[in-house]
Amino acid sequence: MQNHFQLTDLEFEAQFKSSNLDPELFTHEAHLRLAWIHINKYGIKQACNNIENQLKSFVAHVGAKDKYHQTITIVAIKAVNYFIEKSKSNNFKDFINENPKLMNSFKELVNSHYTFDVFTSQIARKEFIEPDLTPFN
């Protein structure tokens, strides 16, 4: 578990939304936690909208616009949602322990839904591309 857990879910969500979160705390696990929080509070559709807008604002604020990847952002949220629907956990720490693929095999998990490397695609970086093998539902 990582340092973003020094913040409650409410603090973490608020600091991210206002772009006041320490960028060093915004790890891959923190991305997943943000998705988990938003899906549980707002539902999948609103979670996608919220995170997309907030993440664009956050990366602009910290000078890392080139790090933003539209497809990976949406796919990560959809993957978290997929695992939430099968989960028995009621908090993120238990959820991530229950679903280690999201942490340990994320790239392989995502690439298994595409016939191309979505991580290196410049088009996928700028616009969402639906999986062309198996959708995240």
Side-chain angles (χ1 to χ4, degrees):
M1 295 294 162
Q2 300 172 355
N3 289 336
H4 59 91
F5 284 111
Q6 64 192 341
L7 303 170
T8 67
D9 286 350
L10 287 174
E11 292 168 333
F12 178 74
E13 179 186 9
Q15 285 187 25
F16 185 79
K17 182 177 182 179
S18 65
S19 296
N20 289 324
L21 183 70
D22 179 346
E24 290 189 18
L25 296 181
F26 203 58
T27 61
H28 172 65
E29 184 179 82
H31 277 80
L32 299 173
R33 181 181 180 198
L34 187 66
W36 186 89
I37 291 167
H38 277 257
I39 292 164
N40 282 297
K41 279 183 89 168
Y42 309 108
I44 183 65
K45 185 176 179 182
Q46 190 62 48
C48 287
N49 290 335
N50 291 352
I51 293 170
E52 178 183 353
N53 293 329
Q54 291 172 19
L55 187 53
K56 285 178 180 177
S57 178
F58 182 78
V59 296
H61 180 77
V62 300
K65 277 185 173 179
D66 60 321
K67 302 267 185 197
Y68 183 77
H69 194 299
Q70 179 74 20
T71 299
I72 298 305
T73 298
I74 300 302
V75 165
I77 299 164
K78 289 182 175 195
V80 169
N81 187 63
Y82 172 83
F83 286 101
I84 284 173
E85 290 175 353
K86 298 177 178 336
S87 177
K88 296 181 175 95
S89 303
N90 63 1
N91 65 75
F92 181 75
K93 285 182 183 178
D94 290 344
F95 171 77
I96 205 64
N97 285 326
E98 183 182 9
N99 299 287
K101 278 186 178 182
L102 288 168
M103 283 295 297
N104 304 330
S105 307
F106 182 75
K107 190 170 187 175
E108 293 81 10
L109 174 67
V110 171
N111 278 332
S112 71
H113 292 262
Y114 290 90
T115 57
F116 63 96
D117 185 356
V118 69
F119 288 90
T120 61
S121 168
Q122 289 306 307
I123 295 170
R125 179 174 290 284
K126 294 177 182 164
E127 60 188 65
F128 176 62
I129 298 176
E130 287 281 353
D132 59 347
L133 290 175
T134 309
F136 285 96
N137 319 13

